[in-house]
Amino acid sequence: MTIQLFITCLNDALYPGTGVATTEILERLGHSVEFDPRQTCCGQMHLNSGYTDEAIQLAERWLDIYEDAECIVSPSGSCVANVREMFGHAGHWTQNSNLIERAAKMDGKLFELSEFILKFGGMDVLNPYFPHRVTYHPTCHGARALGLKDSPEQLLRQVQGLDFVELSEKWQCCGFGGTFSLKNSDTSAAMLQDKCETICALDVEYCVAIDNSCLMHIGGGLRKDGKVPKVIHLAEVLASQEPK
Amino acid sequence: MSGGGIRPSMSFSDAARETLKNRTLRHNLGFATRTICSKREKVVAEIADWEQTRTAGSMLKDEALANLEENLLILEEKVVAAGGKVHWAATATQAVEIVAMIAKSHQVSKVVKVKSITSDEIELNDGLAAQGITALETDLAELICQLADDSPSHILVPAIHKNRDEIRALFEAKLGVRAETSEPAALAEIARTHLRQKFLEAKMAVSGANFAVAETGCIGVVESEGNGRMCLTLPEVLVTIMGIEKVLPKWEDVATLMRLLPRSSTAERMNPYTSIWTGVTPGDGPQEFHLILLDNGRTTVLADAVGRQTLRCIRCSACLNVCPVYQRTGGHAYGSVYPGPIGAILTPQLLGMEHKNANTLPFASSMCGACYEACPVKINIPEVLAYLRGKTAKNPAESSAFRAAFWMMSDHRRFSAALKGRRLGVSIVSGLGLVKGWTDSREMPEVPAESFRTWWSKRGQ
Ligand code: SF4
C-alpha cells in the first residue's frame, strides 16, 4: 500500500524521532511511504482554543493535501481524532456542508499508527525488542475519541524483552489538554501530579503513549521532580530492534 | 444559605487556584467520586443494552425538546384539569415572586423545601428571606450546606466536599446536640429528629421536579431519603418549580428515564423513593398545588442548534463524578449551582456568553471526554465546550499569538522555514516558559537539532 504520512506540527518540530520511527515501521511492513511537505497543522489547537474560523481554514487545507491519498497514517491519536470528529463538528457549527462531506470521505482512510497495526497486523514482521520495564498511559483522545481504549497495550505486550506493568487509574487524564495546561495551569498541574505519582509507584523505566503532546506534559512533570521514569512514544518502542 | 445562583463572581482559574489549596476538600472529593464512579460502572455493566438505552434516552429528550412548546401547553392543560395551577416564569426574579406571593396569600412565613437545584438556580432562599419568609432545607446534604452557610458543590450530593467529622462538628454547633459518633447513621438520626418537627409544622412546601409528563399532567420527584416524600405529602400547599426542559411527552418515556437516571446518579439500580402526583386529590395530600414553569434563559439555549443538546440533561451528575477537573477543584470553583462539565456548558449558555466570568467556564476542561462517555443522554459535552470557546471574546495578546501561528501554518513555505531555523520548536518551548505556572510544575522539552521534514528531505538525497 502507498501510505501518506501525517506528521503533526508538534512531532515535526519537537519529536522528529517519532516520525522517523513511524516511517521505519511502515516500510518494514512493506508499504511505500510518502511525505507531502505541504502539510503543516490540522487546526486542532485553533479549534480547541476557540479560533473556529482559522481552524476551519486549516482543516480545509489539510483536506486539500490528503483527500486523494489511499491511506494516511499518523503517530498522534489526538490529531487523528481532530480530523475524524472535529472537522465534521466544525462544519456543522458553521453550516459548511462541503466541509462535512469532505471530512466524512476520510472515513476508513485515516489511521492512528497503533490502530493501523492492530487492523492490518504485522507485529511478527516487526518483531520489536525493548528490554525495559514499561507502563502504558491511554491518552484521552486515543482511548475515547478514537475508541481505542487500551488496545495499543496489546502491541506492547508482544514486544520482546519488555516487562509490562499496568498503570493504575489509567483512564485519568494527565491534565495536558493543549491550552488547558496554559489557561488553567494549576488544575492541570494537580492532575499531572497524580498521574506522575501513579507512574512512579510502578518503578518502571518508561511510560509509553500514542501522543507526544501528552508525553511532553507527563515527561515534563516527571523531570521537574527529578523522577526516574522517562517517556517514549509507542512508535519508537515498536521500531526498536535487538542489536545484531 | 449563602451563594447559590448561577453567576460566577470570579474566573474559573482564579477560583480553582483557591479551592485547589484545600487539601481536605481534594481528599474528600477524590474519595467520594472514586467510590461512586466504580459503583456506577458496576451497575451500568449489568444492563446489556446500556448503549441502546442511552441512545433511546437522547432521542426521546431531543424529540421532547423539538416539540417543547406543544408539550408544555398540553402539560398545562392537564395540570389545570387535575386541579393544579400553572405559572410561567420567564426569569429567576419572576419565579421567586410567584413563590413569595403564594406564601403570603396563606400567611406562611416558613416553608420546607425538598432538594431542588432549580430553586438554587433562582436563589429562592435569599429571595424569600428578603420578604421575611424562611425556607428550610430538608434534604440532608442541603441541610448541611444551609447550616454551614455554604453553597452546594454538587448537583446530587451538595455537601460532597465535607467529611463526617466536619458534619458532626457542624451539627453539634448549630443544632445544639451531642453526636455519639461520626457514623452516617448517627448523623442521619440527628437530622431526622430535627426535621421531623419541621415537617409537622410546615403549611407549605417547595419542591423541584425530575420530570413532568405532558399527556398525564403528572410530576415526578426521585430521591433517596424520604424527606422529599414528607414535603410532598404533609403540607397543605405544594409549589413545584421546574425548568421547562424537564417535560416528557408520554408516560412511557418515564420508563426509559428511570432506567438511566438512578444508575447514572447514585449508582443504584433504583432509587428508594419515587413520588409521582397529579394535581390535587381531595382529602389526601396537599390541597393546593402550583407548578412554576421556569425559562430563565432556556429558550435561548434551545434556539441554538449546537448548544441545544445541553437541555437533554437529566441532572444525574455522572459527568461531575468522572471529571478530572471537578474531582480536584470541587464544585465551588465553577461559581454556579451547576458545577462540573454540565455546569461548564449550561451556566454560560443560560447567562449569555458575554458574562465575564461565566465565559471562562468552557475552558475549565482538558477535553478528555470522560463526561461524554458517562452521560446517559449522550450530550457531547466536549463538542459543546469547543463550540462555546469559539463564542468567547478573546484577549488581544492571545489572539495575536494565535493569528501569528495561523499565518505560519497556513503556508507550508513559512512553516518549513520556521522548522528549519528551529524557530517553531524554540517558540513552542519558550511560549510555554512564558506562561506563568507552566514551568513551576513541568520541565520544558528540548528542541531537537533537526525537524522531521529536514530528516526526510536529506533521506531522499
Ligand atoms: S450532562 Fe449528562 S452526565 Fe451530566 S448531569 Fe446531565 S445528564 Fe448527567
Side-chain angles (χ1 to χ4, degrees):
Chain A
M1 213 167 1
T2 301
I3 294 174
Q4 280 292 337
L5 286 175
F6 165 27
I7 300 297
T8 70
C9 48
L10 189 82
N11 284 345
D12 204 343
L14 291 181
Y15 299 97
T18 300
V20 173
T22 304
T23 310
E24 285 174 14
I25 288 170
L26 294 173
E27 288 182 343
R28 258 184 239 148
L29 291 175
H31 302 291
S32 115
V33 179
E34 290 177 357
F35 174 78
D36 188 330
R38 286 178 302 155
Q39 64 179 276
T40 57
C41 172
C42 65
Q44 174 174 208
M45 186 178 77
H46 282 87
L47 195 77
N48 279 352
S49 306
Y51 295 86
T52 312
D53 294 343
E54 289 84 351
I56 287 179
Q57 289 178 58
L58 290 169
E60 285 172 336
R61 204 181 161 276
W62 191 94
L63 288 163
D64 290 342
I65 296 167
Y66 288 103
E67 194 151 53
D68 296 326
E70 177 192 356
C71 176
I72 307 141
V73 173
S74 176
S76 166
S78 79
C79 301
V80 170
N82 187 56
V83 173
R84 219 179 264 175
E85 279 215 325
M86 297 308 286
F87 279 21
H89 286 321
H92 170 54
W93 305 345
T94 52
Q95 290 166 13
N96 181 337
S97 50
N98 187 38
L99 177 59
I100 299 175
E101 270 168 43
R102 289 177 73 194
K105 288 209 185 101
M106 302 311 295
D107 268 5
K109 296 211 293 182
L110 170 66
F111 300 93
E112 181 279 323
L113 177 68
S114 70
E115 194 182 23
F116 179 85
I117 301 174
L118 283 159
K119 184 169 162 88
F120 296 101
M123 277 300 277
D124 46 336
V125 180
L126 288 179
N127 194 25
Y129 175 76
F130 195 72
H132 300 284
R133 194 172 154 88
V134 165
T135 193
Y136 177 74
H137 165 62
T139 56
C140 302
H141 283 164
R144 298 200 182 92
L146 296 183
L148 294 176
K149 295 292 159 199
D150 51 3
S151 61
E153 236 181 68
Q154 292 170 24
L155 299 178
L156 281 176
R157 289 179 190 269
Q158 296 170 48
V159 173
Q160 299 299 321
L162 190 146
D163 176 12
F164 187 81
V165 200
E166 189 170 326
L167 184 61
S168 53
E169 307 269 334
K170 63 182 175 183
W171 305 115
Q172 279 271 337
C173 175
C174 72
F176 177 59
T179 39
F180 172 74
S181 73
L182 305 177
K183 285 192 186 253
N184 284 292
S185 181
D186 305 287
T187 312
S188 160
M191 291 158 71
L192 176 63
Q193 190 189 356
D194 293 347
K195 182 55 70 180
C196 289
E197 275 168 19
T198 55
I199 295 170
C200 290
L202 301 176
D203 201 19
V204 289
E205 294 164 83
Y206 289 95
C207 173
V208 179
I210 58 170
D211 277 282
N212 274 328
S213 46
C214 310
L215 288 176
M216 172 176 88
H217 191 236
I218 298 173
L222 291 168
R223 282 206 311 279
K224 185 81 196 180
D225 282 352
K227 295 281 168 36
V228 180
K230 290 199 272 265
V231 294
I232 188 169
H233 193 283
L234 178 71
E236 288 163 62
V237 176
L238 297 185
S240 300
Q241 297 284 285
E242 189 164 10
K244 294 267 148 46
Chain B
M1 193 186 305
S2 70
I6 52 173
R7 294 172 190 279
S9 61
M10 263 191 257
S11 75
F12 179 81
S13 56
D14 287 344
R17 194 168 306 121
E18 286 309 306
T19 55
L20 282 165
K21 285 184 201 151
N22 186 340
R23 296 256 152 203
T24 319
L25 176 139
R26 260 168 87 182
H27 180 265
N28 294 351
L29 208 55
F31 177 76
T33 50
R34 263 198 303 278
T35 312
I36 194 161
C37 285
S38 65
K39 277 199 206 151
R40 183 189 142 268
E41 272 168 35
K42 257 181 239 144
V43 296
V44 159
E46 288 171 359
I47 297 203
D49 60 349
W50 180 251
E51 285 310 311
Q52 289 92 307
T53 313
R54 280 177 82 208
T55 307
S58 73
M59 282 168 56
L60 97 80
K61 284 294 291 191
D62 277 352
E63 279 161 31
L65 291 167
N67 304 311
L68 187 62
E69 193 180 337
E70 195 192 325
N71 292 329
L72 288 168
L73 291 173
I74 299 174
L75 176 70
E76 177 179 36
E77 195 189 303
K78 299 287 172 173
V79 169
V80 171
K85 294 201 177 82
V86 175
H87 311 258
W88 299 77
T91 63
T93 321
Q94 280 178 14
V96 174
E97 268 315 306
I98 296 167
V99 181
M101 185 197 73
I102 299 169
K104 283 179 183 163
S105 74
H106 290 273
Q107 284 97 41
V108 163
S109 62
K110 261 191 215 144
V111 301
V112 285
K113 257 183 73 193
V114 51
K115 184 156 89 177
S116 160
I117 192 104
T118 315
S119 72
D120 294 333
E121 171 187 327
I122 61 173
E123 297 174 81
L124 180 69
N125 294 11
D126 290 346
L128 290 181
Q131 310 216 33
I133 303 163
T134 314
L136 181 87
E137 298 293 347
T138 67
D139 171 81
L140 179 55
E142 293 260 10
L143 172 69
I144 293 166
C145 288
Q146 189 171 43
L147 291 174
D149 200 21
D150 199 353
S151 51
S153 71
H154 189 280
I155 303 180
L156 205 85
V157 198
I160 196 167
H161 55 292
K162 296 206 181 303
N163 65 29
R164 293 171 194 179
D165 296 329
E166 292 171 294
I167 294 166
R168 177 185 182 180
L170 179 72
F171 279 1
E172 295 195 331
K174 294 289 168 99
L175 300 179
V177 285
R178 244 194 66 70
E180 292 305 320
T181 68
S182 299
E183 283 308 303
L187 298 175
E189 191 50 43
I190 294 174
R192 182 174 294 138
T193 317
H194 169 74
L195 288 171
R196 184 126 319 163
Q197 198 53 37
K198 310 284 172 189
F199 288 130
L200 293 169
E201 285 165 14
K203 265 180 75 181
M204 172 170 154
V206 177
S207 89
N210 287 89
F211 58 86
V213 180
E215 70 173 2
T216 61
C218 61
I219 317 292
V221 163
V222 169
E223 43 130 8
S224 304
E225 292 163 11
N227 292 338
R229 180 158 294 181
M230 298 270 207
C231 281
L232 298 166
T233 51
L234 286 176
E236 290 160 30
V237 183
L238 172 62
V239 181
T240 298
I241 308 168
M242 182 185 99
I244 50 173
E245 81 282 15
K246 295 270 174 73
V247 64
L248 303 171
K250 296 186 297 300
W251 176 243
E252 65 191 51
D253 298 334
V254 179
T256 309
L257 185 83
M258 292 307 289
R259 290 191 86 200
L260 293 166
L261 182 58
R263 286 177 202 258
S264 303
S265 55
T266 45
E268 290 167 302
R269 296 183 181 95
M270 189 49 69
N271 51 284
Y273 298 89
T274 301
S275 307
I276 300 177
W277 69 98
T278 317
V280 293
T281 308
D284 182 18
Q287 294 301 295
E288 197 175 309
F289 169 58
H290 297 263
L291 175 64
I292 301 177
L293 296 170
L294 176 75
D295 183 336
N296 206 27
R298 286 163 175 78
T299 44
T300 321
V301 185
L302 186 69
D304 186 307
V306 183
R308 181 180 304 160
Q309 55 182 310
T310 312
L311 297 180
R312 282 186 210 147
C313 177
I314 57 173
R315 309 278 188 269
C316 73
S317 73
C319 59
L320 276 64
N321 299 329
V322 298
C323 176
V325 173
Y326 176 87
Q327 284 170 358
R328 288 168 182 85
T329 64
H332 291 154
Y334 295 79
S336 159
V337 297
Y338 299 117
I342 181 61
I345 60 173
L346 182 60
T347 303
Q349 290 189 87
L350 288 179
L351 287 176
M353 297 304 294
E354 314 75 48
H355 192 281
K356 158 165 150 284
N357 296 318
N359 72 15
T360 64
L361 292 174
F363 295 94
S365 165
S366 63
M367 302 289 216
C368 78
C371 48
Y372 180 29
E373 188 178 56
C375 178
V377 287
K378 285 186 152 177
I379 301 172
N380 192 335
I381 298 176
E383 182 199 352
V384 181
L385 286 166
Y387 170 74
L388 294 177
R389 288 177 183 189
K391 292 187 168 295
T392 55
K394 308 290 182 300
N395 98 36
E398 185 203 279
S399 314
S400 61
F402 273 91
R403 234 174 282 126
F406 173 72
W407 179 81
M408 184 189 59
M409 283 161 175
S410 53
D411 181 289
H412 72 277
R413 283 165 300 242
R414 295 196 278 258
F415 183 74
S416 298
L419 284 176
K420 215 176 224 138
R422 296 171 74 220
R423 282 208 314 278
L424 178 57
V426 171
S427 77
I428 296 174
V429 169
S430 64
L432 294 174
L434 285 177
V435 181
K436 206 190 139 309
W438 216 88
T439 44
D440 294 347
S441 316
R442 312 153 186 89
E443 194 126 305
M444 245 99 68
E446 275 166 37
V447 181
E450 65 175 20
S451 66
F452 175 78
R453 65 185 58 217
T454 307
W455 173 81
W456 181 273
S457 61
K458 283 186 188 156
R459 175 178 191 252
Q461 281 157 15

